[in-house]
Amino acid sequence: MASAPTAEALMRSRFSAFAVGDGAYLQRTWHPSTRPPLAGLDAALRWTSLEILETTGGTPFHTEGTVRFRAHYIERGTAGHLDEHSRFVRHAGEWTYVGAL
């Protein structure tokens, strides 16, 4: 996956990586200060859709941004969703995921 020009685009690409199980991409796009040793992917979850609810900053003209989103999934036949307000910063010129606010 190519680098994202905005924090929102990175959020969308990270969702896609979760959906297809691309842990290497998740690791590369996680800020080194908060990156876990391995991006844990739960095989029981099937990520189905993403709603971007709000963004602040995060454009090509910013160095920080936030994305509030709702990610929908199915786990063992039951639908659910994850709501998060995430922080992104540029690291070495690329957008990276820092963590939940």
Side-chain angles (χ1 to χ4, degrees):
M1 293 181 195
S3 84
T6 66
E8 179 181 342
L10 179 62
M11 178 63 245
R12 291 181 184 283
S13 69
R14 285 178 56 83
F15 174 82
S16 295
F18 272 104
V20 300
D22 188 349
Y25 181 77
L26 295 169
Q27 288 293 107
R28 281 193 314 276
T29 58
W30 211 310
H31 194 275
S33 69
T34 58
R35 181 187 305 141
L38 296 173
L41 296 172
D42 186 344
L45 289 177
R46 185 170 55 93
W47 297 99
T48 59
S49 65
L50 176 69
E51 295 175 73
I52 301 297
L53 304 173
E54 177 185 14
T55 63
T56 63
T59 73
F61 304 104
H62 295 100
T63 58
E64 295 189 21
T66 67
V67 178
R68 194 168 62 85
F69 68 91
R70 178 171 294 136
H72 297 268
Y73 62 85
I74 296 176
E75 181 177 26
R76 294 178 182 86
T78 302
H81 66 270
L82 166 71
D83 288 358
E84 184 174 302
H85 193 181
S86 300
R87 180 172 174 239
F88 295 85
V89 299
R90 286 193 187 267
H91 177 74
E94 302 291 332
W95 283 109
T96 58
Y97 170 77
V98 176
L101 296 173

